Structures are given as C-alpha cells and as structure tokens.
Amino acid sequence: MKAETRSFYEAAVLRTVVQISQTLDQALDLTALARGAALSPFHFHRVFRGMVGETPLEMHRRLRLERAARALLTSDAGVTAIAFDAGYETHEAFTRAFRQAYGVSPSAFRQGATDPRSGCGRPPQAELAAPSGVHYCDDPTRELVVHIATKESIMNVTIETMPAQRVATVAHVGPYNQISAAFARLGALAGPAGLLRFPQGAMIAIYYDDPESTPPEQLRSDAGLVIPEDVALPAGLGEQRLPAGRYAKTTHIGPYTGLGGAWSRLMGEWLPRSGQRVGEGHSYEVYRNNPTNAPPEQLHTELYLPLA
C-alpha cells in the first residue's frame, strides 16, 4: 500500500472534520466539502463514512445535539431556544430527535443532572457514541483528535481492466431503491426489440448523484443493458457509454438492501488502504442474476469503481 495515498484520504477526511466542528451554526454544504477534498460528492461521502463511521451530515447533526445536551446541563436557557440553536425549527422536532438520540426528552435529561437521587449514579452524558471519537467541545484551544478506521478490510477486491461498453438505458429519477421500475420498463422495451439475446448483455445500473447530498427525489440513475455497437435502439431507450479503463471490482452476495453497505466498505475501508485513487467516470453495478431466478441470499451483484 502506498502510504501517501492513504495520507491523501486521511488528510481530506481530517480537514472535513475540522470544518464541520468549527461551523456548527452554518448549513452544511456537502458539495463544497467534497470539492475541498478533491473528490466528487458521490465518492467523497462514501470514503468519509467508511473512515469515520458516519456521514458528514450525521456528524454535523450529532455535534449539534451534543452541544444542545451540554447547554441543557450547564445553562438556564429554555428548551425552545436550545432547539433553535441546534438547527431545529420547532420544539417538537428537536424533542423527537433528542429522545431518539438520548432515550429521554430534553427536559428529563436536564432534570437528571439536578435530581438528588442520581447522586450515586452516573450523571447524564452529553457525548453520543461515535467511532471517530469526535465530540462537541466549547474549548477552542483543545486539540481535535480523530480516530480513523484502520482495521483491514476483508473484502475480496480485484483490479480489472474493463473494455468500453455501450449501454441501452432507461433513466430513473428518484430514490435509488426504486430503480426497479426503470428496469421493468427497460425489459418491456428491450425484449420485443431482441436486445436480450446477446451473450455479452448484462443488466447494469449506473449512478450519477451522491445520496448523501442530493434529495432522494432528485437522484439520477440509469437502468441499463450492455449491447453491441451495431445494434439499433428502439424508441424509448437512451444510450450511455462506459469508458474503458481500470476498475476496482468486488462482488456482493445477498439481498439488494445490502448494496449500500457494500459500497461504503469498498469506498471507506478498501480504497484508502489500496494505494489507488478514484478515476473519472461513474460507478456502476452489474447484476449476474435476479430475483426471478435466485432467492435474495443468492443474488450476485458486481460493484465497479473507476480508478485513476
């Protein structure tokens, strides 16, 4: 492994953590964070989550909640004022988020710090569990310590030189887990046109946007089928080109619901330790079987990440 490559990703993540911790009162610009890391948003947020254990947005929200919890313990400010400072528009929204994180309401959390019956017990703790060890601190002189995941990935990843591929596509806009509707339309158009007869044809999904920074209803992806160069496309199908080049490839075996975690491990665990860097192009998935001919636990999906 090239130490300078891992250092590149670590430095990008550390810069982002510092920026997040110092700008809690500002809305998080995820695109700008990725640009500062010299990565696309799609790739950066998966690297960040894999190395730190949570997304930038999750860290931002958690640190705000920790600051709010600290205020409940150390100040006389009203719960509504603390809620606004934490970025919540209503008392009710803050209470729901706080209860989910701490197990009690903000008022009960504050009461626990002053209840004399708790004198022999453990006082309320403002810090929430975080693998990174990054927590809210109101002392600007205190050094920020970040624990970067260092355990070796057990993913079986190979470097493949892939040829250029022509893909017949149906566009999908919306949550990625709803792309099945686009695949149904693809099959309805490709089948009658004879596009399913080619041996090199593979069902493929191409993803263009980062789900961490793009609203679900705006996410863009393509349901596709690899086809030969000399085949005419029927009306209703678009065309996309996947460039030839080097790709990191791993295979996920199991339900499609586990693909998000597989991508996170590939980007956040394997990539920073591999000596490789992300290249131009789009990440994509290839489906070697499907739910019509295999049970969920036997589904084979190949993940491809472009490399420089």
Side-chain angles (χ1 to χ4, degrees):
M1 185 194 76
K2 298 179 181 178
E4 64 271 19
T5 302
R6 177 171 175 84
S7 295
F8 167 81
Y9 289 110
E10 285 188 352
V13 167
L14 290 173
R15 287 197 303 271
T16 303
V17 170
V18 170
Q19 184 172 349
I20 290 172
S21 65
Q22 293 178 348
T23 57
L24 293 182
D25 291 319
Q26 301 177 20
L28 205 59
D29 188 337
L30 298 175
T31 301
L33 290 177
R35 188 184 308 116
L39 291 168
S40 72
F42 187 88
H43 294 132
F44 170 66
H45 293 105
R46 282 176 165 157
V47 169
F48 188 96
R49 177 166 47 191
M51 297 188 75
V52 178
E54 58 190 339
T55 67
L57 186 57
E58 288 168 344
M59 176 177 284
H60 191 251
R61 289 172 176 168
R62 177 177 60 79
L63 292 179
R64 280 185 167 188
L65 277 176
E66 289 187 356
R67 184 176 65 176
R70 178 61 58 189
L72 288 168
L73 296 177
T74 61
S75 78
D76 296 326
V79 173
T80 299
I82 292 174
F84 290 158
D85 287 342
Y88 293 87
E89 295 182 356
T90 66
H91 179 286
E92 292 75 17
F94 172 67
T95 297
R96 285 195 300 271
F98 193 92
R99 185 187 297 275
Q100 184 176 11
Y102 288 91
V104 296
S105 69
S107 297
F109 183 83
R110 170 176 272 171
Q111 180 63 27
T114 58
D115 190 338
R117 291 173 298 178
S118 65
C120 294
R122 181 174 177 174
Q125 180 175 319
E127 293 79 12
L128 294 166
S132 65
V134 176
H135 297 288
Y136 171 73
C137 179
D138 55 7
D139 181 1
T141 64
R142 183 176 177 181
E143 181 181 1
L144 182 65
V145 178
V146 185
H147 302 300
I148 300 292
T150 58
K151 65 180 184 297
E152 290 299 323
S153 172
I154 60 174
M155 294 192 86
N156 182 15
V157 180
T158 59
I159 308 295
E160 307 284 343
T161 300
M162 301 296 294
Q165 300 180 82
R166 182 187 181 216
V167 186
T169 60
V170 169
H172 171 67
V173 178
Y176 285 154
N177 61 8
Q178 296 178 13
I179 197 174
S180 57
F183 274 108
R185 185 180 173 200
L186 173 66
L189 294 170
L195 300 185
L196 300 179
R197 71 182 190 275
F198 302 109
Q200 72 269 43
M203 289 294 179
I204 187 170
I206 309 171
Y207 299 104
Y208 302 105
D209 296 311
D210 170 41
E212 306 296 346
S213 59
T214 305
E217 67 275 9
Q218 297 178 18
L219 291 170
R220 299 169 301 136
S221 56
D222 280 334
L225 174 67
V226 178
I227 58 172
E229 289 290 339
D230 57 353
V231 173
L233 295 180
L237 289 184
E239 181 178 328
Q240 180 60 268
R241 301 277 179 165
L242 291 173
R246 298 169 64 249
Y247 289 80
K249 170 193 169 186
T250 190
T251 300
H252 170 72
I253 300 178
Y256 295 147
T257 53
L259 287 170
W263 277 111
S264 292
R265 291 178 58 215
L266 178 64
M267 298 293 299
E269 294 179 15
W270 177 83
L271 179 63
R273 288 185 292 277
S274 67
Q276 305 290 333
R277 292 198 184 184
V278 177
E280 298 294 332
H282 302 293
S283 299
Y284 61 92
E285 296 168 353
V286 177
Y287 309 101
R288 294 306 181 188
N289 54 9
N290 61 70
T292 66
N293 57 33
E297 64 273 12
Q298 294 180 15
L299 292 172
H300 282 228
T301 308
E302 295 172 354
L303 284 59
Y304 289 85
L305 173 70
L307 300 176

mmCIF file of all heavy atoms in Angstrom, residues 2-39:
data_model
loop_
_atom_site.group_PDB
_atom_site.id
_atom_site.type_symbol
_atom_site.label_atom_id
_atom_site.label_comp_id
_atom_site.label_asym_id
_atom_site.label_seq_id
_atom_site.Cartn_x
_atom_site.Cartn_y
_atom_site.Cartn_z
ATOM 1 N N LYS A 2 0.465 2.234 -0.784
ATOM 2 C CA LYS A 2 1.193 3.488 -0.818
ATOM 3 C C LYS A 2 0.740 4.370 0.325
ATOM 4 O O LYS A 2 -0.419 4.773 0.410
ATOM 5 C CB LYS A 2 0.953 4.192 -2.154
ATOM 6 C CG LYS A 2 1.455 3.401 -3.359
ATOM 7 C CD LYS A 2 1.152 4.149 -4.642
ATOM 8 C CE LYS A 2 1.618 3.369 -5.866
ATOM 9 N NZ LYS A 2 1.285 4.057 -7.131
ATOM 10 N N ALA A 3 1.682 4.672 1.220
ATOM 11 C CA ALA A 3 1.331 5.457 2.401
ATOM 12 C C ALA A 3 0.825 6.840 2.010
ATOM 13 O O ALA A 3 -0.077 7.385 2.644
ATOM 14 C CB ALA A 3 2.544 5.577 3.323
ATOM 15 N N GLU A 4 1.388 7.409 0.943
ATOM 16 C CA GLU A 4 0.964 8.760 0.571
ATOM 17 C C GLU A 4 -0.474 8.785 0.078
ATOM 18 O O GLU A 4 -1.177 9.792 0.213
ATOM 19 C CB GLU A 4 1.896 9.350 -0.502
ATOM 20 C CG GLU A 4 1.890 8.619 -1.851
ATOM 21 C CD GLU A 4 2.909 7.494 -1.902
ATOM 22 O OE1 GLU A 4 3.350 7.041 -0.827
ATOM 23 O OE2 GLU A 4 3.254 7.085 -3.018
ATOM 24 N N THR A 5 -0.941 7.660 -0.482
ATOM 25 C CA THR A 5 -2.321 7.616 -0.948
ATOM 26 C C THR A 5 -3.286 7.582 0.229
ATOM 27 O O THR A 5 -4.278 8.301 0.259
ATOM 28 C CB THR A 5 -2.555 6.386 -1.848
ATOM 29 O OG1 THR A 5 -1.648 6.458 -2.941
ATOM 30 C CG2 THR A 5 -3.971 6.363 -2.370
ATOM 31 N N ARG A 6 -2.987 6.734 1.212
ATOM 32 C CA ARG A 6 -3.836 6.728 2.401
ATOM 33 C C ARG A 6 -3.786 8.072 3.094
ATOM 34 O O ARG A 6 -4.806 8.574 3.574
ATOM 35 C CB ARG A 6 -3.404 5.618 3.369
ATOM 36 C CG ARG A 6 -4.229 5.637 4.654
ATOM 37 C CD ARG A 6 -3.989 4.442 5.539
ATOM 38 N NE ARG A 6 -4.725 4.605 6.787
ATOM 39 C CZ ARG A 6 -5.992 4.305 6.956
ATOM 40 N NH1 ARG A 6 -6.694 3.852 5.940
ATOM 41 N NH2 ARG A 6 -6.580 4.468 8.124
ATOM 42 N N SER A 7 -2.611 8.690 3.135
ATOM 43 C CA SER A 7 -2.493 10.004 3.763
ATOM 44 C C SER A 7 -3.356 11.035 3.045
ATOM 45 O O SER A 7 -3.921 11.930 3.677
ATOM 46 C CB SER A 7 -1.034 10.455 3.767
ATOM 47 O OG SER A 7 -0.242 9.598 4.573
ATOM 48 N N PHE A 8 -3.476 10.905 1.724
ATOM 49 C CA PHE A 8 -4.322 11.817 0.957
ATOM 50 C C PHE A 8 -5.760 11.750 1.447
ATOM 51 O O PHE A 8 -6.406 12.772 1.697
ATOM 52 C CB PHE A 8 -4.241 11.461 -0.531
ATOM 53 C CG PHE A 8 -5.295 12.114 -1.382
ATOM 54 C CD1 PHE A 8 -5.157 13.411 -1.819
ATOM 55 C CD2 PHE A 8 -6.443 11.411 -1.743
ATOM 56 C CE1 PHE A 8 -6.130 14.012 -2.601
ATOM 57 C CE2 PHE A 8 -7.420 11.996 -2.519
ATOM 58 C CZ PHE A 8 -7.259 13.299 -2.960
ATOM 59 N N TYR A 9 -6.292 10.541 1.592
ATOM 60 C CA TYR A 9 -7.670 10.387 2.040
ATOM 61 C C TYR A 9 -7.825 10.787 3.500
ATOM 62 O O TYR A 9 -8.803 11.431 3.888
ATOM 63 C CB TYR A 9 -8.128 8.942 1.838
ATOM 64 C CG TYR A 9 -8.333 8.585 0.382
ATOM 65 C CD1 TYR A 9 -7.484 7.711 -0.276
ATOM 66 C CD2 TYR A 9 -9.389 9.141 -0.345
ATOM 67 C CE1 TYR A 9 -7.664 7.391 -1.614
ATOM 68 C CE2 TYR A 9 -9.574 8.828 -1.678
ATOM 69 C CZ TYR A 9 -8.715 7.951 -2.315
ATOM 70 O OH TYR A 9 -8.898 7.651 -3.632
ATOM 71 N N GLU A 10 -6.862 10.420 4.338
ATOM 72 C CA GLU A 10 -6.940 10.794 5.745
ATOM 73 C C GLU A 10 -6.932 12.311 5.898
ATOM 74 O O GLU A 10 -7.692 12.872 6.695
ATOM 75 C CB GLU A 10 -5.782 10.183 6.523
ATOM 76 C CG GLU A 10 -5.926 8.698 6.784
ATOM 77 C CD GLU A 10 -4.851 8.183 7.725
ATOM 78 O OE1 GLU A 10 -3.916 8.955 8.047
ATOM 79 O OE2 GLU A 10 -4.939 7.013 8.139
ATOM 80 N N ALA A 11 -6.052 12.977 5.148
ATOM 81 C CA ALA A 11 -5.967 14.440 5.243
ATOM 82 C C ALA A 11 -7.282 15.079 4.798
ATOM 83 O O ALA A 11 -7.749 16.048 5.406
ATOM 84 C CB ALA A 11 -4.806 14.956 4.387
ATOM 85 N N ALA A 12 -7.899 14.535 3.738
ATOM 86 C CA ALA A 12 -9.168 15.077 3.260
ATOM 87 C C ALA A 12 -10.256 14.915 4.313
ATOM 88 O O ALA A 12 -11.049 15.833 4.564
ATOM 89 C CB ALA A 12 -9.570 14.378 1.957
ATOM 90 N N VAL A 13 -10.288 13.747 4.943
ATOM 91 C CA VAL A 13 -11.292 13.497 5.984
ATOM 92 C C VAL A 13 -11.045 14.388 7.194
ATOM 93 O O VAL A 13 -11.981 14.976 7.750
ATOM 94 C CB VAL A 13 -11.280 12.008 6.383
ATOM 95 C CG1 VAL A 13 -12.070 11.784 7.667
ATOM 96 C CG2 VAL A 13 -11.852 11.152 5.261
ATOM 97 N N LEU A 14 -9.794 14.521 7.604
ATOM 98 C CA LEU A 14 -9.480 15.343 8.777
ATOM 99 C C LEU A 14 -9.843 16.805 8.537
ATOM 100 O O LEU A 14 -10.377 17.480 9.423
ATOM 101 C CB LEU A 14 -8.004 15.213 9.130
ATOM 102 C CG LEU A 14 -7.575 13.859 9.695
ATOM 103 C CD1 LEU A 14 -6.059 13.799 9.854
ATOM 104 C CD2 LEU A 14 -8.260 13.592 11.024
ATOM 105 N N ARG A 15 -9.559 17.315 7.334
ATOM 106 C CA ARG A 15 -9.939 18.702 7.012
ATOM 107 C C ARG A 15 -11.450 18.886 7.129
ATOM 108 O O ARG A 15 -11.932 19.913 7.627
ATOM 109 C CB ARG A 15 -9.471 19.068 5.603
ATOM 110 C CG ARG A 15 -7.983 19.286 5.463
ATOM 111 C CD ARG A 15 -7.656 20.038 4.173
ATOM 112 N NE ARG A 15 -8.165 19.335 2.994
ATOM 113 C CZ ARG A 15 -7.469 18.412 2.322
ATOM 114 N NH1 ARG A 15 -6.254 18.069 2.734
ATOM 115 N NH2 ARG A 15 -7.986 17.824 1.258
ATOM 116 N N THR A 16 -12.184 17.897 6.663
ATOM 117 C CA THR A 16 -13.636 17.990 6.703
ATOM 118 C C THR A 16 -14.146 17.951 8.137
ATOM 119 O O THR A 16 -15.049 18.703 8.507
ATOM 120 C CB THR A 16 -14.263 16.833 5.899
ATOM 121 O OG1 THR A 16 -13.766 16.883 4.565
ATOM 122 C CG2 THR A 16 -15.770 16.941 5.882
ATOM 123 N N VAL A 17 -13.574 17.086 8.967
ATOM 124 C CA VAL A 17 -13.991 17.001 10.363
ATOM 125 C C VAL A 17 -13.753 18.332 11.068
ATOM 126 O O VAL A 17 -14.613 18.821 11.813
ATOM 127 C CB VAL A 17 -13.255 15.861 11.084
ATOM 128 C CG1 VAL A 17 -13.506 15.924 12.588
ATOM 129 C CG2 VAL A 17 -13.695 14.512 10.541
ATOM 130 N N VAL A 18 -12.594 18.921 10.839
ATOM 131 C CA VAL A 18 -12.287 20.222 11.452
ATOM 132 C C VAL A 18 -13.293 21.275 11.001
ATOM 133 O O VAL A 18 -13.809 22.056 11.809
ATOM 134 C CB VAL A 18 -10.856 20.651 11.113
ATOM 135 C CG1 VAL A 18 -10.612 22.099 11.535
ATOM 136 C CG2 VAL A 18 -9.842 19.737 11.786
ATOM 137 N N GLN A 19 -13.585 21.296 9.710
ATOM 138 C CA GLN A 19 -14.523 22.288 9.186
ATOM 139 C C GLN A 19 -15.911 22.093 9.786
ATOM 140 O O GLN A 19 -16.586 23.060 10.152
ATOM 141 C CB GLN A 19 -14.594 22.199 7.664
ATOM 142 C CG GLN A 19 -15.474 23.277 7.034
ATOM 143 C CD GLN A 19 -15.370 23.290 5.521
ATOM 144 O OE1 GLN A 19 -14.505 22.650 4.946
ATOM 145 N NE2 GLN A 19 -16.266 24.031 4.881
ATOM 146 N N ILE A 20 -16.348 20.851 9.885
ATOM 147 C CA ILE A 20 -17.659 20.585 10.469
ATOM 148 C C ILE A 20 -17.707 21.059 11.913
ATOM 149 O O ILE A 20 -18.654 21.731 12.341
ATOM 150 C CB ILE A 20 -17.979 19.075 10.387
ATOM 151 C CG1 ILE A 20 -18.223 18.651 8.936
ATOM 152 C CG2 ILE A 20 -19.201 18.734 11.248
ATOM 153 C CD1 ILE A 20 -18.362 17.156 8.757
ATOM 154 N N SER A 21 -16.698 20.717 12.691
ATOM 155 C CA SER A 21 -16.696 21.052 14.117
ATOM 156 C C SER A 21 -16.618 22.559 14.356
ATOM 157 O O SER A 21 -17.069 23.041 15.398
ATOM 158 C CB SER A 21 -15.525 20.355 14.816
ATOM 159 O OG SER A 21 -14.278 20.845 14.340
ATOM 160 N N GLN A 22 -16.087 23.284 13.405
ATOM 161 C CA GLN A 22 -15.928 24.734 13.579
ATOM 162 C C GLN A 22 -17.062 25.542 12.970
ATOM 163 O O GLN A 22 -17.094 26.763 13.115
ATOM 164 C CB GLN A 22 -14.596 25.180 12.966
ATOM 165 C CG GLN A 22 -13.381 24.642 13.695
ATOM 166 C CD GLN A 22 -12.072 25.065 13.051
ATOM 167 O OE1 GLN A 22 -12.051 25.581 11.927
ATOM 168 N NE2 GLN A 22 -10.969 24.842 13.752
ATOM 169 N N THR A 23 -17.992 24.899 12.288
ATOM 170 C CA THR A 23 -19.073 25.630 11.608
ATOM 171 C C THR A 23 -20.430 25.021 11.929
ATOM 172 O O THR A 23 -21.262 24.824 11.037
ATOM 173 C CB THR A 23 -18.851 25.641 10.082
ATOM 174 O OG1 THR A 23 -18.756 24.284 9.609
ATOM 175 C CG2 THR A 23 -17.589 26.398 9.714
ATOM 176 N N LEU A 24 -20.669 24.725 13.201
ATOM 177 C CA LEU A 24 -21.916 24.079 13.582
ATOM 178 C C LEU A 24 -23.134 24.962 13.361
ATOM 179 O O LEU A 24 -24.252 24.464 13.204
ATOM 180 C CB LEU A 24 -21.852 23.648 15.054
ATOM 181 C CG LEU A 24 -20.855 22.534 15.389
ATOM 182 C CD1 LEU A 24 -20.947 22.183 16.873
ATOM 183 C CD2 LEU A 24 -21.108 21.299 14.541
ATOM 184 N N ASP A 25 -22.947 26.265 13.346
ATOM 185 C CA ASP A 25 -24.080 27.175 13.164
ATOM 186 C C ASP A 25 -24.360 27.474 11.699
ATOM 187 O O ASP A 25 -25.242 28.282 11.389
ATOM 188 C CB ASP A 25 -23.833 28.489 13.922
ATOM 189 C CG ASP A 25 -23.875 28.284 15.428
ATOM 190 O OD1 ASP A 25 -24.755 27.528 15.880
ATOM 191 O OD2 ASP A 25 -23.036 28.854 16.137
ATOM 192 N N GLN A 26 -23.642 26.849 10.817
ATOM 193 C CA GLN A 26 -23.852 27.051 9.387
ATOM 194 C C GLN A 26 -24.419 25.793 8.759
ATOM 195 O O GLN A 26 -24.125 24.686 9.195
ATOM 196 C CB GLN A 26 -22.530 27.413 8.699
ATOM 197 C CG GLN A 26 -21.863 28.674 9.229
ATOM 198 C CD GLN A 26 -20.527 28.928 8.564
ATOM 199 O OE1 GLN A 26 -20.241 28.410 7.492
ATOM 200 N NE2 GLN A 26 -19.695 29.729 9.220
ATOM 201 N N ALA A 27 -25.246 25.987 7.733
ATOM 202 C CA ALA A 27 -25.756 24.831 6.994
ATOM 203 C C ALA A 27 -24.585 24.139 6.320
ATOM 204 O O ALA A 27 -23.651 24.788 5.828
ATOM 205 C CB ALA A 27 -26.776 25.282 5.963
ATOM 206 N N LEU A 28 -24.624 22.833 6.298
ATOM 207 C CA LEU A 28 -23.513 22.056 5.749
ATOM 208 C C LEU A 28 -23.605 22.024 4.224
ATOM 209 O O LEU A 28 -24.603 21.572 3.666
ATOM 210 C CB LEU A 28 -23.570 20.633 6.310
ATOM 211 C CG LEU A 28 -22.257 19.849 6.367
ATOM 212 C CD1 LEU A 28 -21.246 20.583 7.218
ATOM 213 C CD2 LEU A 28 -22.515 18.462 6.939
ATOM 214 N N ASP A 29 -22.582 22.524 3.569
ATOM 215 C CA ASP A 29 -22.509 22.492 2.104
ATOM 216 C C ASP A 29 -21.729 21.248 1.704
ATOM 217 O O ASP A 29 -20.505 21.253 1.629
ATOM 218 C CB ASP A 29 -21.821 23.758 1.583
ATOM 219 C CG ASP A 29 -21.888 23.881 0.062
ATOM 220 O OD1 ASP A 29 -22.058 22.832 -0.603
ATOM 221 O OD2 ASP A 29 -21.764 25.007 -0.457
ATOM 222 N N LEU A 30 -22.448 20.161 1.456
ATOM 223 C CA LEU A 30 -21.802 18.886 1.182
ATOM 224 C C LEU A 30 -21.003 18.903 -0.105
ATOM 225 O O LEU A 30 -19.954 18.271 -0.214
ATOM 226 C CB LEU A 30 -22.853 17.784 1.150
ATOM 227 C CG LEU A 30 -23.614 17.585 2.472
ATOM 228 C CD1 LEU A 30 -24.717 16.558 2.290
ATOM 229 C CD2 LEU A 30 -22.673 17.172 3.577
ATOM 230 N N THR A 31 -21.495 19.624 -1.097
ATOM 231 C CA THR A 31 -20.770 19.710 -2.364
ATOM 232 C C THR A 31 -19.439 20.423 -2.170
ATOM 233 O O THR A 31 -18.410 20.010 -2.710
ATOM 234 C CB THR A 31 -21.611 20.438 -3.420
ATOM 235 O OG1 THR A 31 -22.842 19.719 -3.618
ATOM 236 C CG2 THR A 31 -20.865 20.521 -4.745
ATOM 237 N N ALA A 32 -19.437 21.496 -1.377
ATOM 238 C CA ALA A 32 -18.206 22.240 -1.122
ATOM 239 C C ALA A 32 -17.221 21.386 -0.325
ATOM 240 O O ALA A 32 -16.008 21.447 -0.568
ATOM 241 C CB ALA A 32 -18.517 23.538 -0.374
ATOM 242 N N LEU A 33 -17.724 20.583 0.617
ATOM 243 C CA LEU A 33 -16.837 19.708 1.379
ATOM 244 C C LEU A 33 -16.141 18.717 0.460
ATOM 245 O O LEU A 33 -14.939 18.468 0.583
ATOM 246 C CB LEU A 33 -17.627 18.955 2.443
ATOM 247 C CG LEU A 33 -18.165 19.768 3.622
ATOM 248 C CD1 LEU A 33 -18.991 18.873 4.536
ATOM 249 C CD2 LEU A 33 -17.037 20.426 4.402
ATOM 250 N N ALA A 34 -16.904 18.151 -0.470
ATOM 251 C CA ALA A 34 -16.306 17.196 -1.403
ATOM 252 C C ALA A 34 -15.286 17.876 -2.294
ATOM 253 O O ALA A 34 -14.214 17.335 -2.576
ATOM 254 C CB ALA A 34 -17.403 16.541 -2.244
ATOM 255 N N ARG A 35 -15.602 19.083 -2.749
ATOM 256 C CA ARG A 35 -14.671 19.826 -3.608
ATOM 257 C C ARG A 35 -13.374 20.115 -2.853
ATOM 258 O O ARG A 35 -12.277 20.005 -3.406
ATOM 259 C CB ARG A 35 -15.316 21.128 -4.068
ATOM 260 C CG ARG A 35 -14.498 21.880 -5.127
ATOM 261 C CD ARG A 35 -15.142 23.218 -5.482
ATOM 262 N NE ARG A 35 -16.533 23.061 -5.844
ATOM 263 C CZ ARG A 35 -17.547 23.580 -5.162
ATOM 264 N NH1 ARG A 35 -17.326 24.294 -4.054
ATOM 265 N NH2 ARG A 35 -18.790 23.389 -5.553
ATOM 266 N N GLY A 36 -13.491 20.437 -1.573
ATOM 267 C CA GLY A 36 -12.299 20.689 -0.771
ATOM 268 C C GLY A 36 -11.453 19.450 -0.584
ATOM 269 O O GLY A 36 -10.249 19.545 -0.338
ATOM 270 N N ALA A 37 -12.083 18.273 -0.714
ATOM 271 C CA ALA A 37 -11.347 17.021 -0.597
ATOM 272 C C ALA A 37 -10.826 16.542 -1.939
ATOM 273 O O ALA A 37 -10.212 15.477 -2.021
ATOM 274 C CB ALA A 37 -12.247 15.948 0.017
ATOM 275 N N ALA A 38 -11.076 17.310 -3.006
ATOM 276 C CA ALA A 38 -10.641 16.960 -4.362
ATOM 277 C C ALA A 38 -11.258 15.646 -4.825
ATOM 278 O O ALA A 38 -10.621 14.853 -5.518
ATOM 279 C CB ALA A 38 -9.113 16.905 -4.443
ATOM 280 N N LEU A 39 -12.520 15.410 -4.446
ATOM 281 C CA LEU A 39 -13.247 14.224 -4.860
ATOM 282 C C LEU A 39 -14.653 14.616 -5.267
ATOM 283 O O LEU A 39 -15.152 15.685 -4.879
ATOM 284 C CB LEU A 39 -13.330 13.199 -3.714
ATOM 285 C CG LEU A 39 -12.032 12.495 -3.300
ATOM 286 C CD1 LEU A 39 -12.254 11.753 -1.991
ATOM 287 C CD2 LEU A 39 -11.589 11.528 -4.387
#
